[in-house]
Amino acid sequence: MRQAYRIIPIYTADVSGVCSALYELGGMTVMHDPSGCNSTYNTHDEIRWYDEDSLIFISGLTEIDAIMGNDEKFIHDIEEAASELKPRFIALASSPIPYMNGTDFPAIAEVTEQDTGIPTFAVPTNGMHDYVHGAGMALEAIAEHFVNEDRCEGFYPADCRNDKAEAGIENERDHRRVNLLGVTPLDFGPLDHAETMKHSLEQYGWQINSMWAMGDSLDQLSKSADAAVNVVVSSVGLRAAKVLQRKFGTPYVVGAPVGRFTEKLSEAMEAAVSSAKGFAASEIEKNAQTRHLSETEAAQEPADNVVYAACRKVSENLQDANKAEENTRHQAEITLIGEPVTMGSLAAAIELQYGRSVRVLCPLEETEGLLAPGDEAVCGEEMMEEKLKDAGIIAADPLYRPICPKDAQFYELPHIAFSGRIYLKKIKQMPGFADLI
């Protein structure tokens, strides 16, 4: 029973992650489910539900339709709603029942797009993964379908980069343009909290081109090829970053601006831009036959550009990763629980500002390459409780408190993807992420 949860809840599911990521982009998101996924999403996971309209629909899948595989009714209902509401796109998300039935969502998406003329895509969720998986795939689909290759307003679209360099018309302003990838309320709360990250980077001379996907429209996101660098501020944005790098050669770094870590992040962004400029110049010299980076050339492992891992004391002072893990487990003064990029960045900020050793425990699925030495991926309540038994200072969502040692100092850091709207009033009274320390 090591993956059973007796006391703490589980994180938001992948279907809700899709809805959250696409909420503000003017599309229509359809969950194919009897009703449970929708009610969980709008009553627990979505803080914008009562303040901002969005086209989020549930198919109302019935038992007989599921058994008989009546996809025709599903397609008809989608097309009828789309003809009336005229969304920018249609996104189809699966739930456990259609997943077990083997419903062919890519085929349904193709038929729907042919019938309506509206871009339609399926996000292969099944309700059995966490929100990072679903939201990440949703933003990946936006990057694939809507970021245009023919935009040449900025410096780094692959087709335009060499043209501008050859013409000598690079603009310094273009070199400071950045997209923030992976911004959803599930990790960052209300929009004004998320915007603290924009303001923080602007103080270092960066111009925010787009924020994926809060506070900006689909039209603005479609101009993401104009940016010089992408910043993955949560693991939700990593898939989109890889797509944008493959399509346009745009480099990316992983980390969220917070406290003194923002300076380190800005330096890494500048290094990434310089590296990409150097690559463009060498391509001109070689007179390469193609101006697109191949997928192999553009491949960039997350571990190579995870900024917070590079400036954590653990990775600086301990050369051996296994030794780092063992040492941190017994010596870390502070334990953070949550999403790997935000908590890793916060850990770096704490170490830089206060000189206190920190470890991160991550209970989410997608952690590969995103954890610093000494940080750990944790699976299940029992394992989490075991890892916390020697913790002295813990910062985590309040719903983790019951499985923490009674003598540990506990600092509440509400996470909407874990506790939903329970602590929303407290979140609104807290500073935004970039201003936490």
Side-chain angles (χ1 to χ4, degrees):
M1 299 295 288
R2 287 188 176 274
Q3 294 186 43
Y5 288 77
R6 301 177 300 110
I7 300 171
I8 61 174
I10 61 171
Y11 279 83
T12 297
D14 53 4
V15 184
S16 292
V18 172
C19 298
S20 180
L22 303 180
Y23 195 90
E24 299 182 20
L25 302 184
M28 183 170 81
T29 304
V30 183
M31 293 176 268
H32 196 26
D33 184 75
S35 186
C37 290
N38 182 58
S39 60
T40 302
Y41 172 66
N42 62 46
T43 59
H44 293 80
D45 302 329
E46 185 49 73
I47 64 174
R48 298 165 291 188
W49 189 259
Y50 297 107
D51 302 319
E52 185 176 347
D53 290 335
S54 185
L55 302 179
I56 307 289
F57 287 88
I58 192 81
S59 65
L61 180 65
T62 64
E63 183 177 2
I64 189 64
D65 287 339
I67 293 171
M68 302 303 294
N70 188 6
D71 295 337
E72 195 170 316
K73 177 181 181 298
F74 181 43
I75 294 171
H76 174 267
D77 290 347
I78 295 170
E79 293 180 356
E80 186 174 30
S83 66
E84 179 180 343
L85 300 169
K86 297 183 171 45
R88 297 289 302 275
F89 60 85
I90 301 170
L92 309 179
S94 179
S95 65
I97 293 175
Y99 174 73
M100 290 187 290
N101 286 351
T103 302
D104 191 346
F105 280 90
I108 293 173
E110 185 175 346
V111 169
T112 303
E113 182 167 340
Q114 288 177 352
D115 291 349
T116 63
I118 299 171
T120 305
F121 55 88
V123 184
T125 55
N126 56 23
M128 292 183 275
H129 297 281
D130 62 45
Y131 73 100
V132 172
H133 187 71
M137 291 191 296
L139 294 186
E140 179 183 33
I142 295 296
E144 287 282 12
H145 290 85
F146 296 102
V147 182
N148 302 322
E149 293 187 327
D150 58 350
R151 290 189 176 275
C152 296
E153 298 170 11
F155 184 70
Y156 276 100
D159 277 341
C160 312
R161 179 175 52 201
N162 292 345
D163 291 342
K164 286 199 168 189
E166 288 171 346
I169 57 172
E170 301 98 323
N171 189 320
E172 184 61 33
R173 185 181 176 190
D174 293 332
H175 301 165
R176 309 292 292 183
R177 196 177 292 179
V178 58
N179 300 313
L180 302 184
L181 308 182
V183 186
T184 71
L186 293 171
D187 285 320
F188 295 100
L191 177 60
D192 59 341
H193 280 43
E195 286 185 329
T196 61
M197 294 189 292
K198 293 174 62 173
H199 303 326
S200 181
L201 289 175
E202 285 170 352
Q203 292 177 7
Y204 286 86
W206 295 97
Q207 177 192 0
I208 309 304
N209 186 65
S210 66
M211 191 160 68
W212 291 53
M214 289 177 67
D216 279 326
S217 66
L218 182 64
D219 289 335
Q220 188 60 37
L221 265 59
S222 71
K223 301 175 184 178
S224 292
D226 296 343
V229 62
N230 292 319
V231 179
V232 178
V233 297
S234 80
S235 48
V236 166
L238 186 57
R239 294 170 184 264
K242 291 180 177 180
V243 171
L244 295 174
Q245 186 186 49
R246 170 172 54 80
K247 291 175 69 174
F248 310 111
T250 313
Y252 68 88
V253 297
V254 182
V258 55
R260 289 188 179 177
F261 172 67
T262 305
E263 182 178 358
K264 300 289 186 182
L265 182 62
S266 179
E267 291 171 358
M269 293 160 64
E270 290 170 354
V273 172
S274 297
S275 177
K277 287 167 62 180
F279 181 86
S282 66
E283 285 296 285
I284 295 170
E285 277 184 21
K286 294 175 184 177
N287 193 23
Q289 293 181 349
T290 176
R291 293 182 176 179
H292 283 286
L293 292 173
S294 70
E295 191 164 356
T296 302
E297 290 170 324
Q300 190 177 29
E301 290 300 321
D304 294 338
N305 30 325
V306 178
V307 184
Y308 51 84
C311 63
R312 294 274 297 280
K313 284 186 177 180
V314 169
S315 52
E316 284 181 355
N317 299 334
L318 299 172
Q319 295 181 353
D320 183 79
N322 293 327
K323 183 180 177 184
E325 182 176 339
E326 180 182 350
N327 228 339
T328 305
R329 187 181 301 121
H330 292 93
Q331 294 184 7
E333 300 172 80
I334 302 170
T335 299
L336 305 180
I337 305 174
E339 189 276 327
V341 178
T342 53
M343 290 301 99
S345 301
L346 182 58
I350 292 171
E351 291 187 351
L352 288 167
Q353 188 156 337
Y354 300 108
R356 308 286 291 273
S357 58
V358 186
R359 66 167 174 169
V360 174
L361 299 179
C362 179
L364 299 171
E365 293 176 74
E366 300 192 4
T367 62
E368 185 176 356
L370 297 176
L371 296 176
D375 296 344
E376 296 184 69
V378 178
C379 183
E381 179 183 305
E382 185 178 341
M383 185 177 179
M384 179 65 77
E385 195 167 6
E386 174 67 21
K387 297 294 183 184
L388 290 171
K389 68 180 182 180
D390 297 322
I393 302 174
I394 301 169
D397 187 277
L399 293 186
Y400 274 108
R401 191 191 292 267
I403 66 169
C404 294
K406 295 188 185 303
D407 59 348
Q409 290 181 257
F410 190 91
Y411 293 89
E412 294 186 350
L413 198 60
H415 189 185
I416 289 172
F418 189 68
S419 56
R421 295 200 292 243
I422 295 175
Y423 301 102
L424 184 56
K425 285 185 179 179
K426 180 180 179 66
I427 291 172
K428 289 181 177 180
Q429 295 170 356
M430 294 172 63
F433 181 79
D435 300 328
L436 280 176
I437 62 171

